[in-house]
């Protein structure tokens, strides 16, 4: 029986690279591309099938910054699949990143230069905006849209006899100092991307606490510094190429989900000779905070669902 894998943000960048590698590892997958842009997804699907003709590649159109889109896609997926083995929660945005030139030059001549470039700590600020759902765009895209997606897809993911796995694309830029339980959407801050990625770390831990007994396991990965549309908006591609080679991480696809440490982040890295390897990093969080954040999301979910129902009824 084919394994069914769903990848959000699959039409470019990290998501596209992941899809290619997954099919190289198992060319008989059923790979479902969850993309916002249908035409781009169709082009990616054709290219993947051309190189892997035995694979089964389908598309579901979804914009995780639009909850109506998430609900529609969830209904469609539940009609198509009986189960999902892996879900890569990868789609994300970093809107209008602004480089802090002063912090950059200051960091270049400090002992924290490697840490600065590997985490972007202190380098980037972003201007967020409000979505049609009344939520902060970065929070909804990177966190809440995916949270609603897994809530809706729970019937496809929870099978105690054969576990399923969630894999979240986090970041070394996920910092506790940029996250606040009293402002989970980071509406009062200037680093919503960092906040959202720390929220992803918290949510992964909370999912394990609430869903492991039902056969669903969650892990957090960081693909390292990669040349994508997002990073090229910060510095030119050749600068990133000089800083660190493109690296990738797919070994989680072969790991038993229950064997992975839910409080560990798995990071892709490379040696000076170009050999890739995986390193681990204990996440700077505690399970109680993760659970409180999860409960906050559940309360927000109730509020948002009620608002959408009221709006639909009025229209």
């Amino acid at each position: 029986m084919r394994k069914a894998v769903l990848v959000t943000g699959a039409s470019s960048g990290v998501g596209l690279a992941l899809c290619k590698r997954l099919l190289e590892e198992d060319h008989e997958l059923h790979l479902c591309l969850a993309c916002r842009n249908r035409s781009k997804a169709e082009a990616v699907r054709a290219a993947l099938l051309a190189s892997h003709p035995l694979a089964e590649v389908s598309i579901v159109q979804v914009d995780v910054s639009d909850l109506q889109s998430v609900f529609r896609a969830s209904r469609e997926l539940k009609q198509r699949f009986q189960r999902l083995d892996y879900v890569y929660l990868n789609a994300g945005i970093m809107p209008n990143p602004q480089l802090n030139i002063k912090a950059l030059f200051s960091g270049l001549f400090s002992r924290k230069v490697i840490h600065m470039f590997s985490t972007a700590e202190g380098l980037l600020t972003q201007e967020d905006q409000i979505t049609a759902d009344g939520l902060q765009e970065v929070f909804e895209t990177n966190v809440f849209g995916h949270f609603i997606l897994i809530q809706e897809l729970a019937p496809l993911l929870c099978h105690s006899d054969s576990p399923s796995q969630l894999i979240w694309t986090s970041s070394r830029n996920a910092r506790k100092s940029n996250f606040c339980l009293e402002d989970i959407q980071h509406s009062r801050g200037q680093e919503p991307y960092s906040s959202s990625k720390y929220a992803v770390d918290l949510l992964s831990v909370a999912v394990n606490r609430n869903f492991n007994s039902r056969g669903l396991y969650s892990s957090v990965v960081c693909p390292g510094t990669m040349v994508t549309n997002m990073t090229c908006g910060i510095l030119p591609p050749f600068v990133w190429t000089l800083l660190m080679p493109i690296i990738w991480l797919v070994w989680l696809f072969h790991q038993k989900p229950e064997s992975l440490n839910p409080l560990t982040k798995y990071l892709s890295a490379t040696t000076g000779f170009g050999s890739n390897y995986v390193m681990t990093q204990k996440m700077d969080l505690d399970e109680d905070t993760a659970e409180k954040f999860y409960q906050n999301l559940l309360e927000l979910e109730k509020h948002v669902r009620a608002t959408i129902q009221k709006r639909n009824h009025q229209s």
Side-chain angles (χ1 to χ4, degrees):
M1 186 176 180
R2 291 177 185 260
K3 289 182 179 178
V5 183
L6 178 71
V7 180
T8 69
S11 61
S12 63
V14 171
L16 176 56
L18 173 60
C19 291
K20 292 177 179 178
R21 282 294 300 272
L22 287 173
L23 290 179
E24 289 173 8
E25 298 291 332
D26 185 350
H27 60 273
E28 293 188 349
L29 287 176
H30 184 147
L31 179 62
C32 185
L33 313 176
C35 303
R36 181 174 53 183
N37 188 310
R38 183 87 191 189
S39 59
K40 286 180 66 175
E42 292 285 2
V44 168
R45 177 179 181 273
L48 291 174
L49 288 174
S51 56
H52 302 281
L54 295 180
E56 189 173 345
V57 182
S58 61
I59 295 169
V60 62
Q61 188 170 12
V62 60
D63 180 353
V64 287
S65 69
D66 179 350
L67 295 184
Q68 294 279 28
S69 175
V70 173
F71 290 133
R72 284 195 300 270
S74 300
R75 289 193 296 269
E76 188 175 335
L77 289 166
K78 283 185 282 192
Q79 290 173 352
R80 287 197 219 167
F81 294 94
Q82 292 185 329
R83 66 165 289 135
L84 289 170
D85 296 281
Y86 298 89
V87 178
Y88 286 80
L89 301 156
N90 165 75
I93 59 169
M94 182 195 290
N96 303 317
Q98 303 294 318
L99 181 63
N100 187 330
I101 300 297
K102 182 178 179 180
L104 172 63
F105 280 100
S106 175
L108 285 174
F109 301 101
S110 73
R111 287 180 293 180
K112 295 183 177 181
V113 60
I114 295 176
H115 175 77
M116 180 181 69
F117 279 115
S118 64
T119 66
E121 184 171 349
L123 287 181
L124 303 176
T125 60
Q126 306 97 42
E127 292 184 9
D128 208 351
Q129 59 184 357
I130 304 297
T131 68
D133 295 312
L135 303 172
Q136 297 293 136
E137 185 180 31
V138 176
F139 168 79
E140 183 167 10
T141 305
N142 296 2
V143 185
F144 195 64
H146 283 122
F147 170 74
I148 295 296
L149 184 66
I150 61 176
Q151 292 285 99
E152 291 293 304
L153 295 181
L156 304 183
L157 295 167
C158 297
H159 300 275
S160 56
D161 57 325
S162 180
S164 294
Q165 188 172 4
L166 304 176
I167 301 98
W168 300 81
T169 300
S170 183
S171 171
R172 298 185 82 170
N173 188 238
R175 295 199 304 278
K176 186 176 184 178
S177 59
N178 283 326
F179 179 83
C180 176
L181 270 176
E182 286 70 43
D183 182 23
I184 62 174
Q185 298 189 49
H186 200 73
S187 59
R188 298 189 294 272
Q190 289 187 304
E191 297 193 49
Y193 181 79
S194 174
S195 175
S196 72
K197 291 304 180 180
Y198 187 80
V200 161
D201 295 353
L202 287 171
L203 183 50
S204 179
V205 171
V207 166
N208 281 306
R209 173 179 280 193
N210 288 274
F211 285 91
N212 279 180
S213 62
R214 297 166 62 185
L216 177 61
Y217 293 81
S218 180
S219 299
V220 175
V221 301
C222 173
T225 302
M226 304 183 70
V227 180
T228 66
N229 292 336
M230 188 180 295
T231 53
C232 288
I234 305 166
L235 291 173
F238 77 90
V239 177
W240 291 115
T241 303
L242 292 174
L243 290 174
M244 191 170 296
I246 300 176
I247 49 183
W248 188 240
L249 171 66
V250 293
W251 72 280
L252 275 169
F253 184 69
H254 297 287
Q255 307 304 311
K256 291 184 178 180
E258 58 269 35
S259 70
L260 298 168
N261 188 338
L263 295 176
T264 295
K265 183 179 293 187
Y266 297 88
L267 302 101
S268 181
T270 188
T271 67
F273 297 100
S275 300
N276 293 337
Y277 64 99
V278 173
M279 61 184 290
T280 59
Q281 174 183 305
K282 181 175 173 55
M283 291 190 285
D284 183 22
L285 52 80
D286 64 83
E287 294 188 61
D288 288 340
T289 301
E291 184 62 26
K292 289 176 183 176
F293 175 61
Y294 182 73
Q295 295 302 322
N296 285 350
L297 288 181
L298 290 176
E299 288 299 317
L300 181 59
E301 178 189 6
K302 291 178 184 177
H303 172 73
V304 169
R305 285 181 185 272
T307 301
I308 291 175
Q309 289 175 355
K310 183 178 179 180
R311 187 170 63 203
N312 290 342
H313 179 72
Q314 290 175 342
S315 61

